PDB file of all heavy atoms in Angstrom:
ATOM      1  N   GLY F  42     -42.943   1.888  36.750  1.00 97.00           N
ATOM      2  CA  GLY F  42     -42.092   2.550  35.793  1.00 97.00           C
ATOM      3  C   GLY F  42     -42.630   2.288  34.358  1.00 97.00           C
ATOM      4  O   GLY F  42     -42.618   3.097  33.536  1.00 97.00           O
ATOM      5  N   ILE F  43     -43.104   0.919  34.125  1.00 97.00           N
ATOM      6  CA  ILE F  43     -43.659   0.639  32.756  1.00 97.00           C
ATOM      7  C   ILE F  43     -44.794   1.525  32.517  1.00 97.00           C
ATOM      8  O   ILE F  43     -45.016   2.046  31.468  1.00 97.00           O
ATOM      9  CB  ILE F  43     -43.875  -0.896  32.752  1.00 97.00           C
ATOM     10  CG1 ILE F  43     -42.678  -1.631  32.661  1.00 97.00           C
ATOM     11  CG2 ILE F  43     -44.744  -1.206  31.429  1.00 97.00           C
ATOM     12  CD1 ILE F  43     -42.792  -3.210  32.862  1.00 97.00           C
ATOM     13  N   TRP F  44     -45.779   1.615  33.534  1.00 97.00           N
ATOM     14  CA  TRP F  44     -46.946   2.431  33.432  1.00 97.00           C
ATOM     15  C   TRP F  44     -46.584   3.917  33.137  1.00 97.00           C
ATOM     16  O   TRP F  44     -47.187   4.439  32.170  1.00 97.00           O
ATOM     17  CB  TRP F  44     -47.837   2.301  34.719  1.00 97.00           C
ATOM     18  CG  TRP F  44     -48.995   3.145  34.729  1.00 97.00           C
ATOM     19  CD1 TRP F  44     -49.318   4.386  35.259  1.00 97.00           C
ATOM     20  CD2 TRP F  44     -50.247   2.837  33.863  1.00 97.00           C
ATOM     21  NE1 TRP F  44     -50.527   4.798  34.945  1.00 97.00           N
ATOM     22  CE2 TRP F  44     -51.150   3.822  34.035  1.00 97.00           C
ATOM     23  CE3 TRP F  44     -50.524   1.891  32.895  1.00 97.00           C
ATOM     24  CZ2 TRP F  44     -52.326   3.995  33.364  1.00 97.00           C
ATOM     25  CZ3 TRP F  44     -51.675   1.899  32.352  1.00 97.00           C
ATOM     26  CH2 TRP F  44     -52.623   2.955  32.482  1.00 97.00           C
ATOM     27  N   ILE F  45     -45.608   4.469  33.790  1.00 97.00           N
ATOM     28  CA  ILE F  45     -45.233   5.888  33.540  1.00 97.00           C
ATOM     29  C   ILE F  45     -44.731   5.939  32.017  1.00 97.00           C
ATOM     30  O   ILE F  45     -45.102   6.926  31.306  1.00 97.00           O
ATOM     31  CB  ILE F  45     -44.137   6.286  34.357  1.00 97.00           C
ATOM     32  CG1 ILE F  45     -44.653   6.405  35.862  1.00 97.00           C
ATOM     33  CG2 ILE F  45     -43.504   7.661  33.993  1.00 97.00           C
ATOM     34  CD1 ILE F  45     -43.713   6.686  37.002  1.00 97.00           C
ATOM     35  N   LEU F  46     -43.864   5.080  31.646  1.00 97.00           N
ATOM     36  CA  LEU F  46     -43.307   5.126  30.223  1.00 97.00           C
ATOM     37  C   LEU F  46     -44.417   4.985  29.277  1.00 97.00           C
ATOM     38  O   LEU F  46     -44.459   5.748  28.240  1.00 97.00           O
ATOM     39  CB  LEU F  46     -42.290   3.920  30.136  1.00 97.00           C
ATOM     40  CG  LEU F  46     -40.864   4.180  30.779  1.00 97.00           C
ATOM     41  CD1 LEU F  46     -40.175   2.717  30.689  1.00 97.00           C
ATOM     42  CD2 LEU F  46     -40.074   5.171  29.944  1.00 97.00           C
ATOM     43  N   ALA F  47     -45.359   4.008  29.560  1.00 96.00           N
ATOM     44  CA  ALA F  47     -46.435   3.640  28.391  1.00 96.00           C
ATOM     45  C   ALA F  47     -47.432   4.837  28.421  1.00 96.00           C
ATOM     46  O   ALA F  47     -48.036   4.977  27.307  1.00 96.00           O
ATOM     47  CB  ALA F  47     -47.082   2.417  28.785  1.00 96.00           C
ATOM     48  N   THR F  48     -47.640   5.602  29.440  1.00 96.00           N
ATOM     49  CA  THR F  48     -48.656   6.643  29.384  1.00 96.00           C
ATOM     50  C   THR F  48     -48.043   7.973  29.165  1.00 96.00           C
ATOM     51  O   THR F  48     -48.822   8.883  28.750  1.00 96.00           O
ATOM     52  CB  THR F  48     -49.444   6.627  30.741  1.00 96.00           C
ATOM     53  OG1 THR F  48     -48.585   6.797  31.798  1.00 96.00           O
ATOM     54  CG2 THR F  48     -50.228   5.366  30.875  1.00 96.00           C
ATOM     55  N   THR F  49     -46.739   8.244  29.393  1.00 97.00           N
ATOM     56  CA  THR F  49     -46.293   9.575  29.235  1.00 97.00           C
ATOM     57  C   THR F  49     -45.193   9.769  28.115  1.00 97.00           C
ATOM     58  O   THR F  49     -45.057  10.903  27.685  1.00 97.00           O
ATOM     59  CB  THR F  49     -45.610  10.163  30.539  1.00 97.00           C
ATOM     60  OG1 THR F  49     -44.543   9.350  30.891  1.00 97.00           O
ATOM     61  CG2 THR F  49     -46.651  10.060  31.728  1.00 97.00           C
ATOM     62  N   GLU F  50     -44.669   8.742  27.713  1.00 97.00           N
ATOM     63  CA  GLU F  50     -43.528   8.876  26.705  1.00 97.00           C
ATOM     64  C   GLU F  50     -43.916   8.517  25.291  1.00 97.00           C
ATOM     65  O   GLU F  50     -44.142   7.335  24.935  1.00 97.00           O
ATOM     66  CB  GLU F  50     -42.283   8.066  27.134  1.00 97.00           C
ATOM     67  CG  GLU F  50     -41.678   8.426  28.412  1.00 97.00           C
ATOM     68  CD  GLU F  50     -41.100   9.948  28.243  1.00 97.00           C
ATOM     69  OE1 GLU F  50     -40.527  10.307  27.200  1.00 97.00           O
ATOM     70  OE2 GLU F  50     -41.251  10.622  29.166  1.00 97.00           O
ATOM     71  N   ASP F  51     -43.883   9.584  24.389  1.00 97.00           N
ATOM     72  CA  ASP F  51     -44.327   9.326  23.041  1.00 97.00           C
ATOM     73  C   ASP F  51     -43.403   8.240  22.406  1.00 97.00           C
ATOM     74  O   ASP F  51     -43.919   7.353  21.463  1.00 97.00           O
ATOM     75  CB  ASP F  51     -44.366  10.604  22.214  1.00 97.00           C
ATOM     76  CG  ASP F  51     -45.462  11.459  22.637  1.00 97.00           C
ATOM     77  OD1 ASP F  51     -46.397  10.939  23.322  1.00 97.00           O
ATOM     78  OD2 ASP F  51     -45.439  12.701  22.400  1.00 97.00           O
ATOM     79  N   SER F  52     -42.076   8.323  22.576  1.00 96.00           N
ATOM     80  CA  SER F  52     -41.156   7.393  21.986  1.00 96.00           C
ATOM     81  C   SER F  52     -41.486   5.960  22.355  1.00 96.00           C
ATOM     82  O   SER F  52     -41.455   5.038  21.493  1.00 96.00           O
ATOM     83  CB  SER F  52     -39.672   7.729  22.277  1.00 96.00           C
ATOM     84  OG  SER F  52     -39.486   7.724  23.675  1.00 96.00           O
ATOM     85  N   ILE F  53     -41.804   5.677  23.581  1.00 97.00           N
ATOM     86  CA  ILE F  53     -42.204   4.381  24.066  1.00 97.00           C
ATOM     87  C   ILE F  53     -43.560   4.001  23.454  1.00 97.00           C
ATOM     88  O   ILE F  53     -43.676   2.798  23.055  1.00 97.00           O
ATOM     89  CB  ILE F  53     -42.322   4.363  25.610  1.00 97.00           C
ATOM     90  CG1 ILE F  53     -40.880   4.532  26.243  1.00 97.00           C
ATOM     91  CG2 ILE F  53     -42.849   2.937  26.123  1.00 97.00           C
ATOM     92  CD1 ILE F  53     -39.917   3.329  26.035  1.00 97.00           C
ATOM     93  N   LYS F  54     -44.505   4.857  23.361  1.00 97.00           N
ATOM     94  CA  LYS F  54     -45.860   4.592  22.794  1.00 97.00           C
ATOM     95  C   LYS F  54     -45.615   4.179  21.294  1.00 97.00           C
ATOM     96  O   LYS F  54     -46.144   3.199  20.880  1.00 97.00           O
ATOM     97  CB  LYS F  54     -46.696   5.861  22.774  1.00 97.00           C
ATOM     98  CG  LYS F  54     -47.306   6.151  24.182  1.00 97.00           C
ATOM     99  CD  LYS F  54     -48.240   7.418  24.050  1.00 97.00           C
ATOM    100  CE  LYS F  54     -48.417   7.939  25.387  1.00 97.00           C
ATOM    101  NZ  LYS F  54     -49.133   9.244  25.338  1.00 97.00           N
ATOM    102  N   ALA F  55     -44.729   4.918  20.670  1.00 97.00           N
ATOM    103  CA  ALA F  55     -44.384   4.514  19.155  1.00 97.00           C
ATOM    104  C   ALA F  55     -43.813   3.173  19.067  1.00 97.00           C
ATOM    105  O   ALA F  55     -44.211   2.347  18.209  1.00 97.00           O
ATOM    106  CB  ALA F  55     -43.524   5.619  18.634  1.00 97.00           C
ATOM    107  N   GLN F  56     -42.911   2.906  20.010  1.00 96.00           N
ATOM    108  CA  GLN F  56     -42.241   1.569  19.962  1.00 96.00           C
ATOM    109  C   GLN F  56     -43.259   0.410  20.283  1.00 96.00           C
ATOM    110  O   GLN F  56     -43.178  -0.652  19.767  1.00 96.00           O
ATOM    111  CB  GLN F  56     -40.986   1.501  20.908  1.00 96.00           C
ATOM    112  CG  GLN F  56     -39.876   2.383  20.489  1.00 96.00           C
ATOM    113  CD  GLN F  56     -39.378   2.147  19.044  1.00 96.00           C
ATOM    114  OE1 GLN F  56     -39.616   1.186  18.483  1.00 96.00           O
ATOM    115  NE2 GLN F  56     -38.703   3.105  18.603  1.00 96.00           N
ATOM    116  N   PHE F  57     -44.148   0.675  21.303  1.00 96.00           N
ATOM    117  CA  PHE F  57     -45.199  -0.232  21.559  1.00 96.00           C
ATOM    118  C   PHE F  57     -46.018  -0.597  20.416  1.00 96.00           C
ATOM    119  O   PHE F  57     -46.357  -1.745  20.038  1.00 96.00           O
ATOM    120  CB  PHE F  57     -46.200   0.281  22.627  1.00 96.00           C
ATOM    121  CG  PHE F  57     -45.729  -0.150  24.125  1.00 96.00           C
ATOM    122  CD1 PHE F  57     -45.708   0.670  25.079  1.00 96.00           C
ATOM    123  CD2 PHE F  57     -45.519  -1.467  24.388  1.00 96.00           C
ATOM    124  CE1 PHE F  57     -45.444   0.372  26.434  1.00 96.00           C
ATOM    125  CE2 PHE F  57     -45.166  -1.766  25.694  1.00 96.00           C
ATOM    126  CZ  PHE F  57     -45.116  -0.828  26.744  1.00 96.00           C
ATOM    127  N   PHE F  58     -46.388   0.523  19.651  1.00 97.00           N
ATOM    128  CA  PHE F  58     -47.185   0.395  18.447  1.00 97.00           C
ATOM    129  C   PHE F  58     -46.474  -0.418  17.342  1.00 97.00           C
ATOM    130  O   PHE F  58     -47.047  -1.311  16.767  1.00 97.00           O
ATOM    131  CB  PHE F  58     -47.575   1.805  17.954  1.00 97.00           C
ATOM    132  CG  PHE F  58     -48.480   1.803  16.759  1.00 97.00           C
ATOM    133  CD1 PHE F  58     -49.842   1.439  16.816  1.00 97.00           C
ATOM    134  CD2 PHE F  58     -47.899   1.916  15.413  1.00 97.00           C
ATOM    135  CE1 PHE F  58     -50.605   1.365  15.658  1.00 97.00           C
ATOM    136  CE2 PHE F  58     -48.729   1.895  14.280  1.00 97.00           C
ATOM    137  CZ  PHE F  58     -50.056   1.625  14.461  1.00 97.00           C
ATOM    138  N   ILE F  59     -45.154  -0.089  17.185  1.00 97.00           N
ATOM    139  CA  ILE F  59     -44.440  -0.839  16.200  1.00 97.00           C
ATOM    140  C   ILE F  59     -44.306  -2.331  16.636  1.00 97.00           C
ATOM    141  O   ILE F  59     -44.370  -3.167  15.677  1.00 97.00           O
ATOM    142  CB  ILE F  59     -42.998  -0.216  16.000  1.00 97.00           C
ATOM    143  CG1 ILE F  59     -43.127   1.133  15.380  1.00 97.00           C
ATOM    144  CG2 ILE F  59     -42.070  -1.139  15.094  1.00 97.00           C
ATOM    145  CD1 ILE F  59     -41.891   2.021  15.400  1.00 97.00           C
ATOM    146  N   GLY F  60     -44.110  -2.514  17.855  1.00 97.00           N
ATOM    147  CA  GLY F  60     -44.083  -3.925  18.430  1.00 97.00           C
ATOM    148  C   GLY F  60     -45.373  -4.816  18.149  1.00 97.00           C
ATOM    149  O   GLY F  60     -45.340  -5.824  17.684  1.00 97.00           O
ATOM    150  N   LEU F  61     -46.427  -4.002  18.409  1.00 97.00           N
ATOM    151  CA  LEU F  61     -47.773  -4.657  18.109  1.00 97.00           C
ATOM    152  C   LEU F  61     -47.888  -4.928  16.653  1.00 97.00           C
ATOM    153  O   LEU F  61     -48.458  -6.021  16.278  1.00 97.00           O
ATOM    154  CB  LEU F  61     -48.974  -3.767  18.625  1.00 97.00           C
ATOM    155  CG  LEU F  61     -49.119  -3.656  20.082  1.00 97.00           C
ATOM    156  CD1 LEU F  61     -50.225  -2.633  20.422  1.00 97.00           C
ATOM    157  CD2 LEU F  61     -49.443  -5.031  20.652  1.00 97.00           C
TER     158      LEU F  61
END
Side-chain angles (χ1 to χ4, degrees):
I43 290 173
W44 179 252
I45 291 169
L46 285 166
T48 53
T49 63
E50 290 302 319
D51 288 343
S52 53
I53 293 285
K54 286 182 198 171
Q56 295 302 345
F57 266 133
F58 180 78
I59 293 168
L61 285 177

